[in-house]
Amino acid sequence: MKRSLVVLLVTAAALALAVVPAMAGAFRIPEAGAKAMGFGNAFVGMADDPSAVQFNPAGLIQVEGNQILTGATSITTNSDYTDTGGTKSSAEEGRFLPPFFYYSNHLEGMGDGNWWLGLSVTAPFGLGTEWEVDSFNYVATETLLEMVKLNPTMAYKVNDQWSVGFGVDYYQVLEAGFKNDMSSTYLSAFAGTTTDFGRGIQELSGDATGFGFNVGAMFRPNDDLSFGFAYRTGVGLDVDGTVDVNLKDFPGTPLFTSFDASTTVNLPATAALGVNYVLNDQWQVNFDLDWTGWSAYDELAVENDAGTVLNTLTADKSYDDVIAYRIGVQYDLNETWAIRGGYLAEPNPVPEETYDPRLPDGDRTGYVVGAGYSDGSWTVDFAYMLVQLDAGNVDSDAVAWITPGVSQQNVDGKYDGDITLIGFDVSYAF
């Protein structure tokens, strides 16, 4: 029996960790400022408020004095699945509220007044899913990721046309949880016994930290035109955690145990080119090309403390790099009020053959409206965005065995969904 338990537990750990996701396209959160969100996040060539720390640090030279900007983005997610037999199921509606905070300071007494300091606290990746139990209970039931990023930044005004910026990114995963059911038949077969353990639950939880850096540049040939570039490195996060195994119907008393485990998750590098053009005293337009290097997430390997790979069946992800197209406009009603609108399009980074429901993503199309009010030292911004996701009909290789060599639970079918985002922030200059 001891040997059976050891094999069972190692298998449970491998199964749980084999489906741990990285942060797919649906889990990157570029919405980190309501003004930028009102432009459809096309803000790299403009970046004229404290959120420049996130979008393009070189833009900080446009922010005078000391300013604080803080707010949050309300995110509501809906995901639907129709299997190959026509049965439809839905994930629980997701509700999230990632906050953001920025501080900027013009260091007038340093370097002839050509230096600026910035600081941001944001949540650039996150969210989660919770599917109905029988939809993908052996593949995935619940996924949760909560992350925070601290980013101190410096910007330098080279001359009246050029500015540059650079900063350090510190990432901390506050909570990562990935849960699914276990097949008793599967576990019994691996344990070399006919004992019926009943359906159990396995859950991975862990945390991680990591460092990266970012750079930016801005070129303004005249008062009506500016170009921006921003680059942020990818980061490898070494996740240390445990796999909890709970077999409710284990003979005698329920069995609960935990395993130490670790894996490395690679966050993608990002780069963006943007342009801001002022048409006249009332109209201006922004356009961004935004690249995300998701190909860094190519596989997932799980190890115990001794460095042994527990997941001998390597989890192939092979995500694709993608380029998003973002455009936004602003119309100034008067000296205090402005209204905005935007559009975005982004292809799905998840290949069909590795698609799984933990991170249901699809080709994105987004529409946004927003408004801003500024009076003296105070500025308030608001934005509303609707993003539609369409993955179409998926024929994936991602499966979970119910009875080894006999029956599987697959994830093939049609996926679609939508995301509703509401951004709000307030800034104060002093």
Side-chain angles (χ1 to χ4, degrees), residues 136-158:
F136 311 103
N137 55 312
Y138 296 128
V139 179
T141 55
E142 296 180 28
T143 304
L144 175 65
L145 180 73
E146 294 180 349
M147 179 185 296
V148 66
K149 176 171 69 70
L150 179 66
N151 179 194
T153 297
M154 296 293 291
Y156 179 70
K157 183 178 179 180
V158 179

Side-chain angles (χ1 to χ4, degrees), residues 44-260:
V44 172
M46 188 176 185
D48 62 351
D49 71 7
S51 70
V53 177
Q54 173 66 23
F55 291 95
N56 183 357
L60 280 176
I61 68 149
Q62 304 170 92
V63 185
E64 288 301 327
N66 291 271
Q67 292 195 29
I68 291 176
L69 185 152
T70 187
T73 306
S74 169
I75 303 176
T76 303
T77 63
N78 294 284
S79 299
D80 298 318
Y81 166 68
T82 304
D83 66 22
T84 53
T87 301
K88 185 176 180 179
S89 59
S90 300
E92 293 290 329
E93 184 178 76
R95 294 184 179 274
F96 312 93
L97 192 67
F100 48 83
F101 170 85
Y102 300 98
Y103 169 73
S104 65
N105 182 6
H106 182 192
L107 304 175
E108 298 184 47
M110 177 178 173
D112 295 326
N114 291 328
W115 286 93
W116 276 253
L117 170 69
L119 176 69
S120 72
V121 182
T122 58
F125 298 91
L127 308 186
T129 54
E130 181 178 354
W131 287 93
E132 298 172 0
V133 172
D134 291 332
S135 298
F136 311 103
N137 55 312
Y138 296 128
V139 179
T141 55
E142 296 180 28
T143 304
L144 175 65
L145 180 73
E146 294 180 349
M147 179 185 296
V148 66
K149 176 171 69 70
L150 179 66
N151 179 194
T153 297
M154 296 293 291
Y156 179 70
K157 183 178 179 180
V158 179
N159 53 44
D160 290 340
Q161 293 184 321
W162 284 95
S163 63
V164 294
F166 52 91
V168 176
D169 296 318
Y170 170 72
Y171 295 85
Q172 182 170 7
V173 176
L174 303 176
E175 182 177 0
F178 311 101
K179 185 176 181 180
N180 64 290
D181 287 354
M182 296 185 295
S183 164
S184 61
T185 306
Y186 189 25
L187 292 172
S188 296
F190 265 83
T193 177
T194 58
T195 303
D196 183 5
F197 294 124
R199 179 181 292 184
I201 297 173
Q202 57 187 355
E203 182 174 9
L204 167 71
S205 57
D207 53 34
T209 60
F211 283 92
F213 70 88
N214 66 290
V215 296
M218 184 169 284
F219 173 62
R220 184 179 294 275
N222 56 58
D223 291 340
D224 297 330
L225 182 64
S226 62
F227 300 91
F229 169 76
Y231 174 78
R232 199 172 299 273
T233 62
V235 178
L237 297 176
D238 295 326
V239 179
D240 295 317
T242 60
V243 174
D244 295 331
V245 181
N246 188 348
L247 298 181
K248 296 181 178 179
D249 299 329
F250 189 79
T253 59
L255 173 65
F256 177 85
T257 190
S258 296
F259 284 93
D260 291 334

Side-chain angles (χ1 to χ4, degrees), residues 23 27 29 57 62 82 90 108 151 155 161 203 213 260 269 290 314 321 346-347 353 369 371 373-374 381 405 409 422:
M23 283 53 70
F27 277 55
I29 309 174
Q62 304 170 92
T82 304
S90 300
E108 298 184 47
N151 179 194
Q161 293 184 321
E203 182 174 9
F213 70 88
D260 291 334
D290 186 297
T314 299
D321 296 345
E346 181 176 1
E353 59 270 19
V369 294
Y373 174 81
S374 181
D381 291 292
Q409 184 179 69
I422 299 174

